[in-house]
Amino acid sequence: MPSRYDILFQPIKIGPVTAPNRFYQVPHCNGFGWRMPKGLAAMRGMKAEGGWGVVCTEETEIHHTSDLSPFFEGHIWSDDDIPSLLLMTDAVHKHGALAGIELSYNGRDASNLYSRAVTFDLFSRGLVGGSGYEPGQSRAATKDDLKQIRKWHRNAAIRAKNAGFDIIYCYAAHNLTLAFHLMSKDNDRADEYGGSLENRTRFFRELIEDTKEAVGDTCAVAVRFAVDELIGASGMQFDGEARDIVSMLAELPDLWDVNVSSWKNDSTTSRFEKEGNQEKYISFVKKLTTKPVVGVGRYTSPDSMVSAIERGIMDMIGAARPSIADPFLPNKIKAGRHEDIRECIGCNICVTGDTRFVPIRCTQNPTMGEEWRRNWHPEIIAPKKSEDEILIVGAGPAGLEAARALGQRGYHVVLTDAKREAGGRVALESALPNLNEWRRVIDWRLTQIQKIENIYFYPSSPMTAKDILEAGAPHVILATGAKWRRDGIGRYLSRPVKGGAKIFTPDDFLESGGLPPAFQQQAAELQKILIYDDDHYYMGGVLAELLAENGCEVTLMTPAPSISYWTQFTLEQDRILKQLHKLNVTLLADHIIASHTPTNATVTNVITSAESTLACDAIVMVTDRIPNDALYHELKPALAEGKLKSLRIIGDAEAPNIIAQAIFSGHLAAREFDELIDPDVTPFKVER
Ligand code: ADP
Ligand code: SF4
């Protein structure tokens, strides 16, 4: 029967090749890179299996003089890299998809820490790759250097063709590549590569022409171009030079993949931007070219995808994160199973694979990054091995995922929660400012659980150890979460902070669905609030925002060298700081609490040890959490006595961590159930 979504499954001709549909996994980093080609190939292959018509690599370095270490990206430095790349193209082709490669020659973003080569850029300038502040400078590329780089790019394109790629990229986006830097208004070189826009675009044009000439007979040549840097007139602008560049090069490439720069603007979190947020920047491109246009915007709704095509914004739905959260998104749309789509929540934990140099992880999809080393499939799981029943206590992310996956295996699962609503911390945290998309973690799991007849969910059912034993299930999994500490103990302080101040914790806000009642009842007495953040992720900043928006005078203080330190790895830190500055929150890094009274806190500078006093009516402690593991300890004797066959504690109750880890922990418990686990053996394959 024809459907409104058929348009998404039309084949699209891209130069000499044809994509089977309009689902396009754009290049994305993943932390595997050249170091773990098997893990990488399996991850990319899974996307193709799930229906993505085009599956691309991450940035792939064409030469050792553009070495992106310490990050692990792709390498196509020599023919020796071809066998690794073939693993990926084979995995993608096996499912009828096209494989694309993003050839990358970066400028001063390549710190060359591994190769120790000299970096080329448009002039000699400080390096930014790696830390963002690398000592050392680039060398100004001479005309001969540019000629040489073109040759390297051409050779890489030929190698890419030999490695089986169907789409070869010329990359000028994310403010990373030399081609992009040369296009900048700062480029006042006196030769034919600087000055006028035509001159500044020359190198990018040459790369495209070279690539077409070298491999364009059988491979499509795509460009990735950032049409706006969101820095106003000093950068590329979609209604400025970007328009002229697209006009000049309109029909030259076989495909335009367009976005905004830099990465933090391209991959904004749901806290700051919603689905389709790039449309206003990229929509002009299709008006200037007849070639297929790809765009991104964290599209997870099939209706939004159809609409983006029908409105003429793009021809193919580009996606990195939606394809990570659900590699089977296209196939689910095709099968009319829209409610089964595991929608990306826009948290950017996937990005931390790259920024922390480890294989990619995903909050929604616990199998992401585990395809090869654990042989995990996002849709398939081993069937049950026994008829045993399992009782899971706690329906937060860990308990929900364990129940869902065990239910999918066919086990009889009883899931209970003390609360009326499932979701644990996610249900509560998603009520905080701008975190509402996080509810998708719960919604997807509850939708699946409702479909599985052998899972029985009992909300409003607090369980004691006695209740659990009386329930009679032979296997018990405890997913009882954790509580925030009130005493200031955390990464920095190992002893409770003493004093008489009013103390709040994030739980007081979470349990109130926002501001605790005290803030409404005693608004006049709770004006100056000190938030002590030794958690370093989003919670401190979110609560500062909430309190400041409600009229409090907020100081956000942390022992770390910067505010919300870890959010730099999810690309959010700049936006968080901007928001806090806008709300006049006082930001104080490098400080800990020494003691407090009802009216002030004595704080210590961790670098100088200097003490000072801050006036405050209350303190919010965002520090460590205490695992709710009492039930586990109470039930251990029953396990020893043989009254239980197994007892496992998972998620935050075992060791508090991010939501992604709770989901992973629940999934792991389900996969390992009824398996003999040898603690002496590494439970996954290691690429060596
Ligand atoms: P995690 O992140 O590990 O999933 P959460 O804190 O999000 O942990 O969720 C824990 C859930 O467990 C909460 O919804 C809480 O209500 C529930 N819970 C904790 N203790 C009990 C108990 N004794 N009986 C039933 N439910 C419990
Ligand atoms: Fe989306 Fe978060 Fe998964 Fe990344 S980690 S794909 S942002 S849900």
Side-chain angles (χ1 to χ4, degrees):
M1 215 168 49
S3 114
R4 152 169 176 67
Y5 307 100
D6 290 347
I7 191 170
L8 298 172
F9 296 93
Q10 290 167 345
I12 301 290
K13 194 160 162 31
I14 311 170
V17 299
T18 302
N21 58 38
R22 295 183 190 258
F23 292 95
Y24 195 109
Q25 183 244 274
V26 293
H28 72 76
C29 300
N30 50 78
F32 283 118
W34 61 267
R35 182 181 50 159
M36 298 182 220
K38 291 181 190 140
L40 181 60
M43 182 269 282
R44 300 291 190 202
M46 196 62 79
K47 313 267 193 101
E49 185 182 335
W52 294 87
V54 177
V55 178
C56 298
T57 62
E58 61 279 41
E59 314 185 63
T60 304
E61 304 162 11
I62 62 167
H63 194 258
H64 71 273
T65 54
S66 176
D67 150 36
L68 302 177
S69 60
F71 299 95
F72 291 102
E73 314 298 341
H75 275 184
I76 188 160
W77 293 5
S78 77
D79 286 354
D80 293 344
D81 292 309
I82 291 179
S84 293
L85 294 166
L86 268 170
L87 293 176
M88 173 194 156
T89 52
D90 284 349
V92 168
H93 289 155
K94 201 169 128 197
H95 301 285
L98 299 179
I101 182 166
E102 186 178 56
L103 297 184
S104 182
Y105 194 86
N106 289 16
R108 66 202 186 100
D109 182 68
S111 46
N112 290 347
L113 292 172
Y114 174 73
S115 68
R116 302 192 69 174
V118 169
T119 299
F120 294 107
D121 210 302
L122 61 106
F123 61 97
S124 180
R125 210 172 170 193
L127 302 176
V128 295
S131 67
Y133 307 95
E134 294 294 323
Q137 292 188 203
S138 58
R139 142 183 169 183
T142 62
K143 266 168 59 176
D144 280 346
D145 293 331
L146 293 179
K147 212 164 147 192
Q148 188 65 258
I149 294 166
R150 280 175 59 194
K151 189 171 132 210
W152 295 333
H153 197 277
R154 190 177 189 281
N155 289 346
I158 293 166
R159 261 181 236 126
K161 176 180 165 170
N162 293 338
F165 286 99
D166 311 286
I167 302 175
I168 319 278
Y169 268 79
C170 299
Y171 180 32
H174 295 122
N175 195 11
L176 294 176
T177 64
L178 183 58
F180 193 76
H181 293 172
L182 282 167
M183 277 192 273
S184 110
K185 290 178 197 133
D186 300 336
N187 177 2
D188 59 355
R189 294 171 65 107
D191 60 18
E192 63 264 40
Y193 289 97
S196 71
L197 183 61
E198 200 188 339
N199 280 358
R200 286 183 274 134
T201 310
R202 187 178 310 281
F203 184 69
F204 191 35
R205 175 195 285 279
E206 285 173 346
L207 287 188
I208 303 167
E209 285 169 350
D210 292 345
T211 311
K212 285 210 82 157
E213 194 268 320
V215 297
D217 53 338
T218 56
C219 298
V221 177
V223 298
R224 192 150 218 226
F225 176 51
V227 298
D228 210 299
E229 293 179 80
L230 311 194
I231 51 172
S234 55
M236 188 69 73
Q237 284 185 295
F238 75 100
D239 50 1
E241 287 195 338
R243 182 177 288 270
D244 301 329
I245 292 170
V246 176
S247 303
M248 282 159 61
L249 305 177
E251 299 300 312
L252 193 56
D254 297 313
L255 176 135
W256 283 90
D257 174 352
V258 282
N259 62 356
V260 294
S261 174
S262 58
W263 193 13
K264 69 175 184 225
N265 294 327
D266 191 20
S267 292
T268 42
T269 56
S270 60
R271 196 172 154 187
F272 297 101
E273 294 288 353
K274 300 297 167 205
E275 184 182 63
N277 66 308
Q278 298 199 22
E279 288 189 4
K280 68 170 181 254
Y281 300 105
I282 63 167
S283 58
F284 76 90
V285 179
K286 248 192 82 61
K287 298 189 180 82
L288 298 178
T289 178
T290 63
K291 302 299 168 98
V293 174
V294 177
V296 290
R298 218 163 45 72
Y299 293 97
T300 56
S301 147
D303 290 294
S304 308
M305 296 176 194
V306 170
S307 158
I309 291 164
E310 286 178 347
R311 283 179 294 122
I313 310 286
M314 58 187 74
D315 299 290
M316 303 185 80
I317 305 297
R321 292 173 292 175
S323 75
I324 293 166
D326 198 340
F328 279 67
L329 182 148
N331 283 359
K332 287 175 185 176
I333 297 177
K334 194 166 197 177
R337 294 170 47 211
H338 297 191
E339 78 285 3
D340 291 336
I341 296 173
R342 206 168 32 243
E343 288 183 283
C344 166
I345 69 165
C347 62
N348 278 6
I349 288 301
C350 49
V351 168
T352 69
D354 186 64
T355 54
R356 306 303 292 133
F357 326 117
V358 289
I360 187 166
R361 307 174 285 173
C362 170
T363 302
Q364 274 285 54
N365 175 8
T367 67
M368 178 47 52
E370 305 295 340
E371 299 83 357
W372 178 80
R373 69 174 183 177
R374 291 185 201 260
N375 198 23
W376 284 3
H377 189 288
E379 304 300 312
I380 302 168
I381 192 164
K384 66 181 176 183
K385 286 189 164 175
S386 69
E387 295 302 319
D388 282 359
E389 276 181 33
I390 304 140
L391 170 65
I392 301 176
V393 181
L400 278 176
E401 177 60 18
R404 187 206 63 75
L406 281 163
Q408 187 189 1
R409 292 188 64 184
Y411 287 101
H412 179 115
V413 180
V414 174
L415 172 66
T416 71
D417 200 288
K419 298 247 170 66
R420 208 149 43 102
E421 201 201 347
R425 62 181 284 198
V426 180
L428 303 174
E429 289 179 25
S430 57
L432 293 174
N434 304 316
L435 298 184
N436 53 319
E437 274 189 38
W438 291 18
R439 264 208 71 87
R440 293 173 174 182
V441 168
I442 311 168
D443 294 342
W444 182 76
R445 291 182 168 78
L446 284 180
T447 305
Q448 301 305 307
I449 284 173
Q450 269 154 21
K451 289 186 181 188
I452 303 175
E453 285 176 355
N454 41 308
I455 306 178
Y456 303 85
F457 176 43
Y458 297 98
S460 307
S461 305
M463 302 287 278
T464 62
K466 187 163 162 278
D467 297 334
I468 291 171
L469 291 175
E470 280 175 7
H475 301 277
V476 174
I477 295 178
L478 298 170
T480 43
K483 285 269 165 292
W484 289 88
R485 296 189 80 112
R486 241 163 234 284
D487 55 10
I489 289 180
R491 283 167 183 77
Y492 215 96
L493 299 171
S494 48
R495 300 235 182 275
V497 189
K498 298 220 170 66
K502 274 199 190 69
I503 303 286
F504 293 90
T505 75
D507 286 324
D508 299 320
F509 291 80
L510 294 171
E511 298 296 340
S512 319
L515 277 192
F519 281 85
Q520 280 131 30
Q521 289 149 11
Q522 310 155 38
E525 287 112 82
L526 290 174
Q527 269 304 300
K528 288 193 169 69
I529 311 298
L530 172 64
I531 300 179
Y532 175 56
D533 184 5
D534 196 13
D535 172 63
H536 311 288
Y537 192 16
Y538 53 89
M539 188 57 79
V542 168
L543 294 185
E545 212 177 303
L546 177 69
L547 285 164
E549 270 169 355
N550 281 279
C552 295
E553 220 177 285
V554 183
T555 298
L556 178 53
M557 182 175 90
T558 176
S562 64
I563 299 296
S564 304
Y565 182 86
W566 206 75
T567 61
Q568 66 186 286
F569 304 121
T570 55
L571 312 178
E572 292 171 289
Q573 195 177 33
D574 290 0
R575 278 187 169 73
I576 291 171
L577 289 174
K578 193 171 167 190
Q579 178 73 353
L580 295 175
H581 282 303
K582 202 169 107 196
L583 292 167
N584 286 323
V585 173
T586 304
L587 305 176
L588 191 56
D590 290 325
H591 278 78
I592 51 166
I593 301 191
S595 63
H596 47 75
T597 73
T599 54
N600 65 51
T602 303
V603 301
T604 311
N605 183 310
V606 295
I607 312 285
T608 64
S609 304
E611 282 204 346
S612 51
T613 305
L614 292 181
C616 61
D617 304 324
I619 297 171
V620 183
M621 295 287 190
V622 187
T623 57
D624 273 1
R625 286 178 283 158
I626 302 172
N628 295 331
D629 55 5
L631 277 179
Y632 180 69
H633 296 294
E634 286 172 50
L635 288 169
K636 275 201 103 167
L639 180 70
E641 291 158 19
K643 289 183 193 153
L644 291 176
K645 280 198 203 166
S646 76
L647 174 67
R648 183 164 182 159
I649 184 163
I650 62 171
D652 293 333
E654 184 187 19
N657 206 316
I658 58 174
I659 297 165
Q661 192 64 13
I663 297 279
F664 176 81
S665 165
H667 194 82
L668 183 69
R671 295 256 182 189
E672 289 186 346
F673 188 77
D674 265 345
E675 298 292 338
L676 264 184
I677 305 297
D678 181 349
D680 293 334
V681 175
T682 308
F684 49 81
K685 288 184 282 179
V686 178
E687 289 196 58
R688 295 195 161 88

